[in-house]
Amino acid sequence: ALSLIKLISKKELKALTLTDSESWWNEIRKKTFHPDFTLAKHLALMYPKAGKVVKLYPNRKMLRRALKYHEKWAADNMPIYVDETPPKPMGYIISDDKPITLAKPTIFRSNLAKWLPVSLKTTKLDLIYSTEIHGRSLAAFYNQCNRYKNTIVLIEAIVGNTTATIGMFASHAWNVNPASYGDGECFLFRVDPDPKCFNWTPDFSGIDDFESQAIREQYMVAKSDFLAMGANAEGTNGIRLDQDFINGESYSALGFDNEPLPGHDRNKFDIGVVEAYRLIREVDGSVVGEEEKVWDLNGL
């Protein structure tokens, strides 16, 4: 934005009658919409070749100082604006052979749309795994989900006579892996009751605690006998499902700083329905994050 100042010379500036910011921007528009204006010419003006004696565009160090100053001012003085406009609910693919259960309520899909990364908000849900269709098996879950990044898993968590719908968003495809993987786009959530999203955050303390950092970065854990997201020093997880999708548990995890997802003091739960969804772009119907199979054994 600062580079736009160079579009008007000092001589031109003296000849102009500028009464407010709008009149200034009108002059800038005239320059940028002129047939002779090109980005290449503008860049050459701002960053001339070495050897020319010119006043250069502010260097990076100067810009960093300016940004730091203004960011602090904004943090101290700008009012906090919370957009309370209800987000458009995510749509879903309707299929007779893949009926959905947990994602049907509109409010659930509205909250999911609010929590997803910006680039994924205009997508639809497409069911790829369900305990009602594919069986209650972690192996079946991996088989259905191992080609898709950016999946949403919804879980019916049952504690006594109460039921909660909880879940997780996975940035990477679910595959059996000897090490934890994924990244900070993963998040945990509860859509019912009391909807809440628990995003992952890095450690800003500045303390070099490598053990805690390693635990904090256990975004996704995919073993043959359990599935989990998030971890803590006690060896429990933000959410963990056993091999047969019968028992699950949820504890606070480093980085996610979540409460037990089914509710206060409800760390262990029985698993009802489990559903996994891939994302489909609304604009062209393409699948988000589909990975090609490395080995294609068809025809062998």
Side-chain angles (χ1 to χ4, degrees), residues 75-269:
D76 294 339
N77 296 278
M78 294 294 286
I80 297 174
Y81 171 71
V82 178
D83 185 0
E84 297 182 352
T85 304
K88 175 187 174 184
M90 299 182 73
Y92 61 89
I93 304 296
I94 299 174
S95 174
D96 291 337
D97 59 340
K98 294 190 300 181
I100 71 170
T101 302
L102 299 179
K104 267 193 174 180
T106 303
I107 187 62
F108 289 10
R109 290 180 281 110
S110 181
N111 282 318
L112 289 173
K114 179 169 62 177
W115 299 333
L116 281 173
V118 174
S119 61
L120 301 176
K121 289 184 182 295
T122 55
T123 55
K124 295 188 290 187
L125 298 167
D126 185 25
L127 184 69
I128 54 174
Y129 169 80
S130 170
T131 49
E132 305 289 277
I133 301 171
H134 304 98
R136 194 171 291 275
S137 162
L138 185 53
F141 174 88
Y142 288 141
N143 186 56
Q144 295 298 124
C145 301
N146 62 12
R147 291 179 56 199
Y148 306 106
K149 297 179 180 180
N150 306 125
T151 53
I152 292 174
V153 180
L154 293 175
I155 302 142
E156 183 182 29
I158 304 168
V159 182
N161 295 323
T162 64
T163 301
T165 303
I166 63 177
M168 50 190 167
F169 170 78
S171 60
H172 289 58
W174 287 107
N175 284 295
V176 175
N177 200 310
S180 59
Y181 63 109
D183 60 37
E185 282 199 340
C186 294
F187 62 82
L188 301 168
F189 61 84
R190 176 177 60 241
V191 289
D192 183 61
D194 187 22
K196 286 186 179 179
C197 177
F198 303 94
N199 291 298
W200 185 88
T201 56
D203 181 10
F204 294 112
S205 67
I207 300 173
D208 291 332
D209 185 344
F210 297 109
E211 183 177 351
S212 294
Q213 188 62 25
I215 295 172
R216 181 181 289 269
E217 293 180 358
Q218 290 190 37
Y219 313 102
M220 299 168 62
V221 182
K223 307 296 184 183
S224 59
D225 56 344
F226 74 93
L227 173 77
M229 180 171 288
N232 56 47
E234 287 71 42
T236 53
N237 302 95
I239 191 167
R240 174 176 170 142
L241 309 179
D242 72 1
Q243 184 176 11
D244 299 319
F245 281 179
I246 294 175
N247 299 310
E249 59 184 44
S250 176
Y251 293 83
S252 181
L254 281 178
F256 294 98
D257 297 325
N258 59 290
E259 60 191 50
L261 297 179
H264 183 63
D265 287 335
R266 294 175 180 171
N267 300 101
K268 297 189 177 183
F269 54 88

